[in-house]
Amino acid sequence: MNRIIAIVSCKGGVGKTFASLNIGLALHKFGENVTVVDADVTASNLGLQLGLYSFPATLQDVISGQKTIHEAIFTTEQGLRIIPSSISLDKIDANIEGLAQILKDIEGTIIIDSPPGLGIDVMSVLDACDQVLAIG
């Protein structure tokens, strides 16, 4: 069973990624089984905030069916589990409409770093989550 928390805002640059990482890391330090997901497939920042630029698998690889969700989980030096999005321009057309289905097999708390705005990708994030934290 899992709990999915979306970090959202209509604006970019307000700290969604920063909040997602820090909430995820705090929960991890308290012993929670937590995974942070970068759902911004057009302007991914989660890996960049951690100083990481390439990954063996990304959310886009899962969406396209090339990898499983468990293959896309990357564990940071601090022990935080993340599912990054690719920063490659050839993967920005990924459609995250089935995000809820993709995340269903992950145990524990999932924190979704949402893209900005109210587009279809954000609606998919909202459909997938149990709780929302809006940042202004």
Side-chain angles (χ1 to χ4, degrees), residues 20-120:
S20 298
L21 281 172
N22 282 289
I23 291 168
L25 194 54
L27 290 172
H28 169 70
K29 293 292 183 184
F30 282 112
E32 182 106 12
N33 183 13
V34 62
T35 305
V36 180
V37 178
D38 188 346
D40 192 345
V41 295
T42 59
S44 145
N45 280 303
L46 192 67
L48 297 175
Q49 289 290 326
L50 295 168
L52 305 168
Y53 307 101
S54 65
F55 299 92
T58 64
L59 183 61
Q60 289 96 322
D61 296 324
V62 175
I63 291 167
S64 69
Q66 296 174 357
K67 300 283 184 177
T68 68
I69 193 66
H70 294 289
E71 290 174 310
I73 295 173
F74 178 85
T75 304
T76 69
E77 287 181 15
Q78 299 83 10
L80 179 64
R81 297 181 330 157
I82 66 168
I83 298 174
S85 280
S86 174
I87 59 173
S88 176
L89 290 177
D90 63 345
K91 295 189 178 190
I92 64 170
D93 61 348
N95 183 341
I96 65 167
E97 280 187 69
L99 189 61
Q101 186 66 21
I102 290 170
L103 299 178
K104 70 177 177 49
D105 292 330
I106 298 176
E107 298 277 329
T109 299
I110 300 168
I111 298 179
I112 303 175
D113 180 19
S114 175
L118 287 173
I120 194 159

